[in-house]
């Protein structure tokens, strides 16, 4: 590294995103539920995702009442919690993955979990296990000042979300406050695969690009290579959640290897689509 | 009479513009809903300042709901308890049989003002579902009600009534299949339909501005009670009691009293089978501050922040959180919160049925159980008002089942 700056969580994330963009590729960021069906499986899945070319991975912290999630992720969270999933376990997985993999990890977590842990404690622990950023889908900017401060102090990214229902002035404000990257939600609704993306999505992303210097990743409803190409024309990358989490629906016994192979193949196809442009 | 000259603290000047009741409340929701909540807040502020809106609502409350509801002296129950005089605020006589209609008509009118023709609601006991279906039928709005599958089973008469009024009832099979899961699914629906749908939340819970709006619409209960006490009794009550799940009948009853000195306010939560985690639904009695369903309040959750399973014999109180204003009143010491068990509530149901000829809702039976016990230790000149928040027809079959009555025996 020629960069003399001290390595911090957020610089690891920023560098990974920048490297991929400089290579002219679309960033592919898979989402995986931590601990579905168990933590070791999730580690293996992260590993194959990295090998398949994922730029970063979103680690979903299971939550009992995820109101922004559709049935696939909801069911996955329920499986993880029923299997005895805890926050300690998620942090342990993150520590192992940060040590053995190069790909940065970002946690997707409900504010309920952060608040209960204590904001400073949660962020400190997240940074200590190598998480580079947090996405908190149920925390709008008005309520986020304490968490934003803790993240700044720990050099952990706080990734904000803009949605199709966000008015322009508000979207500009959110974009300006987002660190690491900006999460552009493609559709109004919960997570889950969609057959088609809204027409206005490209215009919104182009407009958002003018509001911020951080990369823009588009998520919700993305599952197929042609969507990666379509979104990759304007955005820096895509986040793929429910479509990958579907591969976790059958993971007992012999099915584990099949599920891992499916994840690897799915991520690989999306990454390849993002290189073709 | 207070002898202190210090100005007494006001408890009614909440929430602040961010929806904070002291430390509680706020708006913890996905960004997708932010604009709709802003729109709702603005529509409500405008409506509240519009005399025509209030007049239309008042007219509906009078002619459609049957307000004002009576304040009834429960003389045989008073005699039985052997202490303070017990009065019932008869919300059970409202159209649809509970206080819930006060809120659904208000929010239905707001939906019309906002031009939203589709309504979403969640329901536990089914009372809010019925009240929402009723308002939608009256206003010609489409209505979808989410209800936990377990509650669909134990509150069957209300499910039938919702469907008869044209509402679509969607049973929720996820999680504990009760009120909390119904709220999750209602919010998920709203995430995808927010531009054309309004979510009529049924209690003083959820993100700002819902806790304020629902409290304001329900405050007609307390305002009438204040006026009736002045008119009929010539004095304020010594104590006012209401059951608390999410806390809407209690908030509506208490709010006009919070700045009245000398009136003790008591909220009664669902003590379930025992005080053990998972066996009750008493968030204020046994929970701690946390975020659930869009606001910061007292919640029942494990040390990781996962919502706990809860239990109550009454579907309407079977909820792991409580409205943020109750959390504020709790911490400020303005309202006392206590709990009674399933068994005590069931006994109170029987008692009030036989002594007063009223089948109270199981939710309400919690407030009645505590009132009867407490009244016994108060002097005979003391006055206690209990919010008789709903009628118990919906519970009669389930209670008969729990009591082991067969149809044959009841006819015997």
């Amino acid at each position: 590294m020629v960069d003399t700056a001290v390595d911090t969580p957020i610089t690891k994330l920023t560098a990974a995103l920048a490297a991929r963009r400089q290579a002219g590729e679309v960033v592919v960021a898979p989402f995986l539920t931590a601990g579905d069906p168990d933590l070791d499986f999730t580690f293996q899945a992260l590993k194959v995702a990295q090998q398949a070319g994922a730029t970063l991975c979103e680690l979903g912290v299971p939550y009992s009442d995820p109101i922004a999630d559709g049935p696939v992720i909801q069911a996955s969270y329920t499986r993880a919690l029923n299997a005895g999933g805890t926050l300690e376990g998620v942090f342990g997985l993150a520590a192992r993955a940060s040590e053995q993999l190069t790909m940065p990890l970002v946690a997707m977590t409900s504010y309920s979990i952060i608040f209960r842990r204590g904001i400073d404690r949660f962020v400190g622990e997240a940074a200590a296990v190598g998480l580079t950023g947090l996405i908190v889908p149920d925390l709008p900017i008005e309520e986020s000042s304490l968490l934003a401060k803790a993240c700044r102090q720990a050099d952990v990214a706080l990734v904000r979300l803009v949605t199709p229902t966000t008015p322009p002035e508000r979207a500009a404000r959110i974009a300006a406050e987002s660190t690491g990257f900006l999460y552009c939600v493609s559709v109004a609704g919960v997570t889950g695969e969609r057959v088609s993306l809204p027409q206005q999505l490209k215009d919104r992303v182009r407009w958002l690009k003018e509001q911020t210097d951080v990369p823009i990743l588009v998520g919700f409803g993305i599952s197929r290579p042609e969507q990666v190409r379509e979104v990759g024309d304007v955005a820096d990358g895509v986040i793929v959640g429910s479509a990958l989490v579907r591969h976790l629906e059958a993971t007992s016994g012999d099915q584990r290897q099949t599920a891992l192979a499916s994840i690897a193949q799915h991520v690989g196809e999306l990454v390849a689509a993002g290189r073709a442009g | 009479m207070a002898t202190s000259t210090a100005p007494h603290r006001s408890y009614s000047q909440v929430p602040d513009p961010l929806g904070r009741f002291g430390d509680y409340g706020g708006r913890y929701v996905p960004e997708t809903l932010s604009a709709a909540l802003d729109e709702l807040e603005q529509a409500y502020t405008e409506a509240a300042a519009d005399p025509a809106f209030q007049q239309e609502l008042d007219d509906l409350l009078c002619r459609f709901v049957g307000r004002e509801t009576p304040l009834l002296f429960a003389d045989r129950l008073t005699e039985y308890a052997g202490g303070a005089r017990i009065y019932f605020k008869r919300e059970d006589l409202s159209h649809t049989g509970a206080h819930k209609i006060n809120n659904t008509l208000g929010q239905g009118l707001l939906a019309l003002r906002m031009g939203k023709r589709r309504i979403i609601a969640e329901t536990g006991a089914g009372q809010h579902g019925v009240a929402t279906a009723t308002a939608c039928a009256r206003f010609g709005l489409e209505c979808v009600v989410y209800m936990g599958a377990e509650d669909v089973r134990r509150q069957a008469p209300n499910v039938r009534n919702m469907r008869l009024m044209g509402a679509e009832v969607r049973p929720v099979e996820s999680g504990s299949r009760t009120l909390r899961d119904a709220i999750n699914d209602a919010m998920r629906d709203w995430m995808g339909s927010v531009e054309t749908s309004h979510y009529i939340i049924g209690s003083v819970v959820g993100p700002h501005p819902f806790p304020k709006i629902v409290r304001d619409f329900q405050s007609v209960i307390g305002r009438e009670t204040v006026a009736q006490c002045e008119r009929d009794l010539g004095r304020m009550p010594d104590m006012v009691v209401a059951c608390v799940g999410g806390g809407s009948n209690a908030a509506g009853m208490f709010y006009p009293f919070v700045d009245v000195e000398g009136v003790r306010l008591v909220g009664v939560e669902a003590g379930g089978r025992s005080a053990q985690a998972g066996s009750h639904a008493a968030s204020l009695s046994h929970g701690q501050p946390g975020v659930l369903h869009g606001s910061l309040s007292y919640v029942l959750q494990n040390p990781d922040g996962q919502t706990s399973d809860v239990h109550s014999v009454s579907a309407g109180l079977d909820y792991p959180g409580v409205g943020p204003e109750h959390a504020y009143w709790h911490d400020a010491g303005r309202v006392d919160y206590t709990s009674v068990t399933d068994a005590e509530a069931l006994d109170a149901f029987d008692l009030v049925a036989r002594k007063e000829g009223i089948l109270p809702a199981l939710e309400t039976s919690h407030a009645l159980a505590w009132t009867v016990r407490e009244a016994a230790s108060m002097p005979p000149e003391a006055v206690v008002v209990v919010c008789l928040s709903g009628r118990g027809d919906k519970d009669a079959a389930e209670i008969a089942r729990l009591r082991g009555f067969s149809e044959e025996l009841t006819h015997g």
Side-chain angles (χ1 to χ4, degrees):
Chain A
M1 290 275 266
V2 284
D3 196 340
T4 53
V6 182
D7 257 354
T8 66
I10 195 169
T11 53
K12 180 178 178 183
L13 174 62
T14 304
L17 286 161
R20 194 60 60 113
R21 291 305 282 157
Q22 275 155 20
E25 296 177 25
V26 178
V27 168
V28 174
F31 168 99
L32 290 164
T33 302
D36 177 18
D38 55 59
L39 294 165
D40 187 60
F41 182 93
T42 310
F43 175 78
Q44 302 302 335
L46 291 171
K47 197 167 157 183
V48 300
Q50 175 176 298
Q51 284 162 354
T55 308
L56 63 106
C57 212
E58 259 182 59
L59 206 50
V61 180
Y63 176 51
S64 54
D65 298 83
I67 57 172
D69 284 306
V72 174
I73 291 176
Q74 224 187 106
S76 174
Y77 278 179
T78 303
R79 288 192 297 270
L81 290 173
N82 288 345
T86 63
L87 189 54
E88 290 301 331
V90 176
F91 282 151
L93 167 68
R96 181 181 173 198
S98 306
E99 207 175 278
Q100 299 184 33
L101 307 176
T102 53
M103 169 181 75
L105 297 175
V106 174
M108 167 84 95
T109 179
S110 166
Y111 191 64
S112 301
I113 292 171
I114 297 174
F115 183 87
R116 179 60 195 255
R117 194 71 161 188
I119 293 166
D120 291 334
R121 181 179 168 198
F122 185 100
V123 174
E125 288 175 339
V129 298
L131 289 165
T132 63
L134 301 178
I135 304 170
V136 190
D138 51 6
L139 189 71
I141 36 174
E142 290 82 0
E143 304 286 359
S144 70
S145 59
L146 291 175
L147 184 63
K149 188 174 162 212
C151 285
R152 265 197 309 277
Q153 283 170 351
D155 287 310
V156 168
L158 181 55
V159 175
R160 314 294 185 132
L161 300 93
V162 292
T163 73
T165 58
T166 309
E169 322 83 73
R170 184 178 169 87
R173 191 173 142 214
I174 293 170
E177 288 195 23
S178 196
T179 53
F181 60 90
L182 176 66
Y183 193 136
C184 175
V185 176
S186 65
V187 291
V190 294
T191 56
E193 300 112 295
R194 306 289 199 285
V195 177
S196 65
L197 295 171
Q199 283 299 317
Q200 314 89 323
L201 177 63
K202 283 188 174 187
D203 291 339
R204 285 203 297 121
V205 175
R206 276 192 203 99
W207 182 84
L208 281 169
K209 289 295 281 181
E210 293 163 16
Q211 314 303 316
T212 177
D213 295 330
V214 297
I216 295 177
L217 305 194
V218 174
F220 282 42
I222 304 224
S223 59
R224 299 199 306 270
E226 60 271 27
Q227 291 174 316
V228 175
R229 278 192 289 273
E230 190 190 338
V231 170
D233 281 349
V234 288
D236 296 278
V238 295
I239 297 163
V240 189
S242 296
L244 283 178
V245 171
R246 248 185 217 294
H247 300 303
L248 306 178
E249 285 169 356
T251 52
S252 56
D254 296 348
Q255 296 171 316
R256 283 173 84 95
Q257 290 310 316
T258 317
L260 285 172
S262 304
I263 290 168
Q265 190 191 342
H266 199 149
V267 173
E269 284 169 9
L270 301 178
V271 170
R275 277 178 185 149
Chain B
M1 283 287 112
T3 50
S4 165
T5 52
H8 83 270
R9 180 175 168 185
S10 172
Y11 299 94
S12 59
Q13 304 306 307
V14 287
D16 72 10
L18 286 176
R20 291 276 163 188
F21 300 86
D23 293 337
Y24 301 101
R27 183 184 285 178
Y28 300 90
V29 291
E31 174 60 22
T32 298
L33 300 179
S34 286
L37 292 167
D38 283 342
E39 179 194 8
L40 175 61
E41 192 179 356
Q42 197 186 336
Y44 178 66
T45 305
E46 286 168 13
D50 178 357
F53 178 86
Q54 197 55 53
Q55 199 181 348
E56 188 175 4
L57 179 57
D58 286 349
D59 192 59
L60 280 166
L61 289 175
C62 171
R63 293 170 210 277
F64 187 62
V65 177
R67 303 204 73 93
E68 65 179 31
T69 59
L71 184 68
L72 172 77
F73 177 48
D75 55 347
R76 295 192 67 227
L77 192 67
T78 296
E79 189 189 345
Y80 173 87
R85 288 190 291 157
I86 300 169
Y87 289 80
F88 292 161
K89 175 61 175 165
R90 299 290 309 277
E91 291 303 298
D92 61 314
L93 292 179
S94 300
H95 181 41
T96 73
H99 68 290
K100 295 290 187 186
I101 190 89
N102 301 325
N103 171 46
T104 61
L105 289 173
Q107 288 206 50
L109 288 178
L110 279 180
L112 291 174
R113 271 179 93 95
M114 292 186 290
K116 295 188 171 179
R117 309 291 309 182
R118 179 176 179 270
I119 298 296
I120 311 156
E122 86 293 339
T123 196
Q127 291 301 117
H128 175 59
V130 168
T132 305
T134 301
C136 289
R138 172 89 198 167
F139 297 144
L141 299 169
E142 184 188 344
C143 182
V144 176
V145 179
Y146 290 89
M147 186 170 188
E150 167 63 13
D151 294 339
V152 167
R153 183 193 68 74
R154 56 181 171 171
Q155 308 279 268
N158 277 339
V159 175
R160 180 200 61 210
N161 291 351
M162 284 183 259
R163 288 179 171 150
L164 286 173
M165 282 183 287
E168 182 192 344
V169 180
R170 295 187 183 169
V172 177
E173 299 284 353
S174 61
S176 55
R177 305 156 83 233
T178 60
L179 179 54
R180 153 194 162 202
D181 310 287
I183 294 180
N184 287 341
D185 268 19
M187 285 198 169
R188 288 182 187 118
D189 180 318
W190 204 31
M191 289 276 290
S193 63
V194 67
E195 284 160 305
T196 54
S197 299
H198 174 59
Y199 176 22
I200 299 189
I201 205 162
S203 192
V204 286
V205 300
H208 177 63
F210 282 117
K212 173 186 161 63
I213 290 177
V214 178
R215 175 203 70 193
D216 287 354
F217 286 140
Q218 292 295 359
S219 290
V220 65
I221 305 171
R223 283 197 307 274
E224 285 179 4
T225 305
V226 167
Q228 287 166 323
C229 286
E230 278 170 353
R231 187 184 70 208
D232 301 351
L233 313 177
R235 54 167 295 193
M236 285 295 104
D238 298 282
M239 185 164 85
V240 178
V241 186
C243 65
V244 177
S248 72
N249 90 85
M253 181 54 128
F254 294 165
Y255 185 65
F257 282 104
V258 290
D259 286 339
V260 180
E261 278 185 282
V263 179
R264 185 182 177 202
L265 304 174
V266 182
V268 184
E269 296 191 300
R273 298 185 196 100
S274 75
Q276 244 186 2
S279 296
H280 62 80
S283 314
L284 288 160
S285 305
H286 301 300
Q288 64 250 298
V291 175
L292 177 67
H293 290 148
S295 65
L296 172 58
S297 184
Y298 278 71
V299 295
L300 294 166
Q301 56 180 204
N302 77 9
D304 263 6
Q306 309 293 347
T307 310
S308 302
D309 285 338
V310 293
H311 163 80
S312 171
V313 69
S314 106
L317 303 183
D318 202 353
Y319 181 65
V322 66
E325 193 161 20
H326 288 292
Y328 166 68
W329 289 335
H330 172 272
D331 284 13
R334 179 61 188 96
V335 180
D336 295 331
Y337 294 90
T338 180
S339 65
V340 307
T341 63
D342 287 351
E344 291 170 312
L346 286 163
D347 287 348
F349 176 95
D350 287 349
L351 181 66
V352 172
R354 287 159 192 244
K355 293 286 180 198
E356 294 293 341
I358 293 171
L359 299 180
L362 267 179
E363 292 75 18
T364 311
S365 299
H366 286 72
L368 291 165
W370 195 84
T371 300
V372 170
R373 202 195 315 156
E374 188 70 8
S377 65
M378 295 169 74
E381 64 277 12
V383 168
V384 179
V385 176
V386 52
C387 184
L388 212 116
S389 53
R391 57 189 292 158
D393 304 55
K394 69 188 176 62
D395 298 311
E398 177 76 353
I399 291 172
R401 188 182 72 82
L402 290 171
R403 288 282 187 243
F405 285 10
S406 73
E407 288 300 318
E408 212 176 339
L409 277 176
T410 57
H411 291 298

